[in-house]
Amino acid sequence: MGRLSRIAAIVVLAAAVLYVPVRRWTAGGVCESQARMDGKTVIITGANTGIGKVTAKDMAERGARVILACRSLEKAEEAAKEIRSQSGNKNVVVHKLDLASLTSVRQFAKVINDAETRLDVLINNAGVYVCPRWETEDGFEMQFGVNHLGHFLLTNLLLDLLKKSAPSRVVTVASEAHIFTNGIDFDDINYENNYDSEESYYRSKVANILFSRELARRLEGTGVTSNSLHPGIIYTEINRHREDYIREIVGAQLSKVANILMEGFVRMIGKTWEEGAQTTICCAVAEEWQNTTGLYFSDCVPKEPSAAGGDDEAAARLWDVSERMVGLKS
Ligand SMILES: NC(=O)c1ccc[n+]([C@@H]2O[C@H](COP(=O)([O-])OP(=O)(O)OC[C@H]3O[C@@H](n4cnc5c(N)ncnc54)[C@H](OP(=O)(O)O)[C@@H]3O)[C@@H](O)[C@H]2O)c1
Ligand SMILES: *[C@@H]1O[C@H](CO)[C@@H](O)[C@H](O)[C@H]1NC(C)=O
């Protein structure tokens, strides 16, 4: 055997031996809670696919009334049908919510506030990742606009219903990717200068964590908790804009190869959708976290966010800026 093939054989063997333990490790924590959600209402944004859909199915299996808040009614109805048939829970409904439109967020909140008698869990799950510098209907940079501002307004408009239903919970899906940014750039909140789609995503995810902490502070004593989390690395449709992004860097031909390699890698070491939903589910239902608020979770346990994610001054400032941007304050 030549030296090269010997090295290759060792690499393959090592990969084969290590695959199972590595994969078990990357699978992360599991929500062990058997808590039932009968009589409770849960709203999940972006629940038509990915980890949001798995979370919705889990809530339905626990007996909750589940409201899928999605921008495509067609995709959402499809998901709802599947969730109803798999869970045996008929109480799964769909309402239109486009987080890239403040009008849509307000309309959705009105529908909920008019028709629902309670809201026990709000799960801010929807997200967009590394899109070009698009703008929302209201002229906000897309990733900050959808991932943060849309959820900021939505949560605020549903707060009275959440308080009325206390003990209740707000769960915001952030990301460990927040560690890659130094924080929000308050001088260029709309990212008009030197837009970098990755950096924009990191900032929107640090915004999720800051928002969740500040919300917890403001809700002290109301019986409504607010926590954020990192779901893990999961191959989902979130990667839809990545191909364009990689094409920009390495060109059209290389990007095809790069994407196939990247997808293969993420699928191999990453979590399944079910594994990726576990931390959200823990934060939404686990009895042991019932009174826990203002924390960031990963693998079903609290974790320290980066310095930028734990910056309470930035959290207060972001709240103030966000209130003005979405028109809650002039
Ligand atoms: N996948 C990962 O590795 C990973 C890692 C860390 C954090 N996260 C976070 O996990 C969350 C869920 O991601 P996922 O991986 O499950 O992604 P996904 O499969 O792409 O699902 C994202 C969901 O968000 C919805 N959405 C996007 N823009 C929207 C808008 N303007 N209005 C309403 N809904 C909108 C999508 O709807 P459409 O189907 O109509 O586009 C979809 O339902 C995100 O917040 C993401 O940042 C994911
Ligand atoms: C949370 O607080 C309530 C009310 O004070 C208490 O009954 C319950 O045991 C607490 N739960 C946990 C897990 O600490």
Side-chain angles (χ1 to χ4, degrees), residues 17-36:
V17 170
L18 287 176
Y19 181 73
V20 170
V22 166
R23 191 57 193 81
R24 193 164 300 160
W25 177 66
T26 59
V30 171
C31 182
E32 310 275 3
S33 170
Q34 301 295 313
R36 295 287 308 172

Side-chain angles (χ1 to χ4, degrees), residues 266-287:
V266 175
R267 278 191 190 281
M268 211 162 70
I269 65 137
K271 294 183 178 184
T272 61
W273 290 12
E274 281 69 23
E275 290 162 352
Q278 295 303 310
T279 306
T280 305
I281 296 167
C282 272
C283 289
V285 310
E287 300 89 339

Side-chain angles (χ1 to χ4, degrees), residues 287-288 290-291:
E287 300 89 339
E288 61 180 308
Q290 190 192 341
N291 304 321

Side-chain angles (χ1 to χ4, degrees), residues 55 60 73 78 113 215 242 271 316 330:
T55 306
L73 286 179
E78 191 78 18
N113 285 322
L215 180 64
R242 200 197 51 212
K271 294 183 178 184
S330 52

Side-chain angles (χ1 to χ4, degrees), residues 142-161:
M142 186 64 73
Q143 298 189 72
F144 186 73
V146 168
N147 300 358
H148 169 63
L149 288 174
H151 284 127
F152 175 84
L153 179 61
L154 175 69
T155 307
N156 272 286
L157 296 178
L158 297 177
L159 268 189
D160 285 341
L161 192 56

Side-chain angles (χ1 to χ4, degrees), residues 48 51 71 75 98-99 125 201 205 232 234 236 238 240:
N48 56 283
I51 60 177
R71 62 175 165 175
K75 287 196 220 169
D98 181 356
L99 290 158
N125 164 82
Y201 179 73
K205 290 289 132 177
I234 313 115
T236 63
I238 196 107
R240 67 190 80 181

